[in-house]
């Protein structure tokens, strides 16, 4: 009960007659209740100030991460897998043996080719002896010249057979070495697609090794977005700046956090995709420790300009209806008023307002549905904790 009501009831206590006293008290209390009603029923809302600051404006695109280099590991000979020599998902080095193919057929083929080489060399030795014996005899006309010609042809043919046999030995040794399937690059090895006992060949993909330091991010931007970044991209494409020197890209991960290392543009496709109106691009980010992995999704963004002294309100403060935007402003008397506004870019959880509010004004961020035009509200400060960029 307010102090005013207590003062009104004080004289009534001296009034005689219970019926008259009861009636008067009822009337006074009823009037006080009506007077206090607006304050009791005023809705509680959360308000946030209209802030003013310089704001970087971004071009943002969905991105997919992939290895900077991806090497498909395929055997170069056909045979049965006998061993997997690496742990999936770990770093392997160039030249490491990842799989082993049964080498026995290839060892036998090597021995056979070596035997054929020995035969060829023996035959070559015989032709050399024949040629050495018949050459002086032909000069003395002791044997026909045709016989010497045959000896010369036989020696040359034997030399060719020896060269062919040596090549077969080299090929057999190479095939034997191919039974040890090695990594082509240093990187993270993926899941094994071949199992022990499988018959594999040159068309079989056993696994993939990806170089993830640095890691690539593929994304597509519209022609309009590209034009905002064209100068900086062209500087690298034309050789005026080295790739990696101009780090203009940021990576927002799927959990909303911003990757701490900035990236650079690696490549830009030569033309616009006429179906989608976008240009395919790739960026690269340093990835020490391999935190980022191929296949992860995120958003790549780059600052296109800085809006000076921009007015910002929480996005949840802005109401959209039939293409028009408005906010609910609470004045110094806690009275709510609906204010039409014009919006600019969204920046994290905030929204740039280009017209309709002033810096320092208070807008409702929570409980807008409770407030009507001209209504008195009970404001409390909006808790913006957990609102990301």
């Amino acid at each position: 009960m307010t102090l005013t009501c207590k003062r009104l009831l004080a004289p009534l206590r001296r009034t005689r007659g219970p019926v008259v006293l009861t009636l008067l008290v009822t009337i006074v209390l009823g009037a006080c209740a009506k007077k206090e009603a607006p304050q009791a029923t005023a809705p509680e809302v959360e308000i946030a100030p209209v802030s003013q600051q310089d704001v970087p404006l971004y071009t943002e695109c969905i991105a997919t991460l992939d290895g900077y280099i991806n090497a498909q590991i395929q055997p170069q000979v056909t045979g049965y897998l006998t061993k997997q020599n690496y742990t999936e998902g770990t770093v392997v080095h160039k030249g490491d043996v990842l799989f082993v193919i049964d080498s026995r057929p290839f060892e036998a083929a090597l021995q056979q080719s070596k035997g054929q080489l020995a035969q060829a060399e023996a035959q070559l030795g015989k032709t050399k002896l024949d040629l050495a014996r018949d050459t002086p005899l032909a000069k003395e006309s002791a044997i026909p010249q045709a016989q010497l010609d045959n000896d010369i042809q036989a020696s040359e043919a034997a030399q060719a057979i020896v060269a062919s046999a040596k090549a077969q030995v080299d090929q057999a040794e190479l095939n034997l070495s191919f039974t040890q399937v090695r990594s082509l690059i240093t990187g993270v090895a993926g899941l094994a697609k071949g199992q022990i006992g499988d018959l594999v060949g040159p068309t079989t993909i056993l696994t993939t090794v990806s170089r993830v330091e640095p890691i690539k991010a593929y994304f597509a931007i519209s022609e309009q977005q590209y034009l905002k970044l064209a100068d900086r991209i062209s500087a690298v494409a034309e050789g005026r700046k080295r790739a990696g020197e101009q780090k203009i890209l940021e990576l927002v991960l799927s959990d909303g956090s911003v990757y701490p290392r900035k990236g650079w543009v690696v490549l830009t496709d030569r033309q616009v995709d006429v179906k989608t109106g976008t240009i395919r691009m790739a960026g690269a980010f340093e990835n020490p420790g391999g935190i980022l992995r191929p296949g992860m999704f995120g958003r790549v963004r780059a600052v296109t300009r800085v809006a000076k002294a921009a007015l910002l309100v929480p996005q949840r403060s802005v109401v959209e209806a039939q293409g028009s935007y408005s906010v609910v402003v609470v004045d110094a008397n806690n009275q709510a008023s609906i204010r039409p506004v014009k919006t600019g870019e969204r920046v994290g959880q905030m929204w740039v307002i280009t017209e309709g509010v002033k810096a320092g004004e208070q807008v409702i961020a929570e409980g807008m549905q409770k407030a009507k035009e001209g209504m008195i509200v009970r404001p409390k400060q909006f808790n913006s904790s957990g609102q990301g960029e």
Side-chain angles (χ1 to χ4, degrees):
M1 183 180 297
T2 64
L3 181 61
T4 302
C5 292
K6 291 180 178 179
R7 289 175 178 174
L8 290 173
L9 288 174
L12 297 180
R13 293 191 180 96
R14 297 189 295 270
T15 304
R16 295 182 179 179
V19 176
V20 175
L21 178 60
T22 301
L23 181 60
L24 290 174
V25 170
T26 302
I27 293 172
V28 171
L29 290 177
C32 291
K34 290 181 180 179
K35 186 175 181 181
E36 294 174 1
Q39 183 177 357
T41 58
E44 183 178 85
V45 297
E46 296 182 19
I47 59 174
V50 178
S51 59
Q52 187 173 35
Q53 62 188 69
D54 294 345
V55 177
L57 301 180
Y58 294 90
T59 286
E60 193 169 87
C61 314
I62 300 297
T64 304
L65 302 186
D66 201 1
Y68 199 85
I69 299 174
N70 297 309
Q72 291 184 335
I73 307 303
Q74 298 174 262
Q76 294 177 273
V77 293
T78 299
Y80 291 94
L81 282 182
T82 59
K83 187 178 181 182
Q84 177 181 324
N85 207 38
Y86 78 101
T87 302
E88 296 165 319
T90 60
V91 175
V92 297
H93 297 87
K94 183 178 180 179
D96 286 354
V97 177
L98 304 183
F99 296 91
V100 176
I101 295 174
D102 186 1
S103 63
R104 290 174 297 176
F106 301 95
E107 291 171 350
L110 175 59
Q111 293 305 317
Q112 184 179 12
S113 62
K114 286 182 176 179
Q116 292 172 348
L117 174 60
Q119 290 179 347
E121 288 175 338
Q123 183 62 32
L124 176 60
K126 179 181 180 302
T127 61
K128 287 182 177 180
L129 291 175
D130 291 342
L131 184 59
R133 183 188 66 244
D134 291 345
T135 297
L137 294 175
K139 288 181 180 180
E140 297 175 357
S141 299
I143 60 172
Q145 181 64 35
Q147 184 174 342
L148 179 61
D149 294 340
N150 290 337
D151 290 342
I152 293 173
Q153 292 177 353
S155 178
E156 291 177 351
Q159 290 177 11
I161 292 173
V162 168
S164 176
K166 287 182 177 179
Q168 290 178 356
V169 170
D170 291 342
Q171 183 63 57
E173 289 176 341
L174 190 60
N175 288 342
L176 180 59
S177 70
F178 285 157
T179 60
Q180 294 186 327
V181 184
R182 299 177 182 273
S183 177
L184 303 175
I185 62 172
T186 297
V188 177
L191 299 178
K193 298 180 181 178
Q195 302 300 320
I196 304 302
D198 286 355
L199 178 63
V200 298
T203 60
T204 307
I205 299 176
L206 297 178
T207 189
T208 300
V209 178
S210 297
R211 177 185 168 191
V212 296
E213 170 49 33
I215 195 167
K216 274 184 181 176
Y218 288 95
F219 55 96
I221 65 174
S222 68
E223 184 177 353
Q224 292 76 16
Q225 290 173 319
Y226 171 78
L227 291 175
K228 296 177 181 179
L229 301 171
D231 289 342
R232 284 175 282 179
I233 294 172
S234 298
V236 176
E238 295 173 358
R240 289 183 280 115
K241 290 190 176 181
R242 293 180 300 172
E245 181 180 346
Q246 195 170 31
K247 296 182 179 181
I248 62 173
L249 302 180
E250 294 182 4
L251 179 62
V252 182
L253 303 177
S254 58
D255 62 356
S257 62
V258 179
Y259 187 63
R261 298 176 183 267
K262 289 190 175 183
W264 61 95
V265 175
V266 175
L267 63 90
T268 305
D269 199 359
R270 65 182 182 85
Q271 67 180 28
V272 177
D273 188 324
V274 295
K275 293 183 179 179
T276 62
T278 59
I279 301 176
R280 182 80 170 165
M281 298 182 65
F285 293 85
E286 294 176 352
N287 187 28
I291 297 174
L292 304 178
R293 292 296 178 103
M296 293 176 65
F297 288 91
R299 303 192 309 276
V300 168
R301 67 185 187 184
V303 176
T304 54
R305 67 184 181 89
V306 176
K308 298 292 186 179
L311 298 175
L312 297 170
V313 300
Q315 287 188 27
R316 62 195 306 150
S317 298
V318 182
V319 178
E320 180 183 4
Q322 299 179 348
S324 298
Y325 299 90
S326 62
V327 297
V328 182
V329 178
V330 177
D331 62 17
N333 297 320
N334 295 338
Q335 187 173 21
S337 62
I338 299 174
R339 189 91 56 84
V341 295
K342 291 184 179 180
T343 58
E345 289 84 351
R346 302 186 191 214
V347 182
Q349 297 298 318
M350 306 297 285
W351 208 333
V352 175
I353 303 299
T354 59
E355 186 178 321
V357 294
K358 297 178 182 179
E361 288 187 312
Q362 303 286 338
V363 296
I364 296 179
E366 190 68 43
M368 288 177 291
Q369 70 280 4
K370 305 175 186 178
K372 307 296 182 183
E373 178 68 31
M375 178 181 287
I376 300 298
V377 296
R378 288 184 295 135
K380 69 176 185 178
Q381 198 62 35
F382 173 60
N383 182 11
S384 59
S385 60
Q387 301 294 313
E389 289 189 357

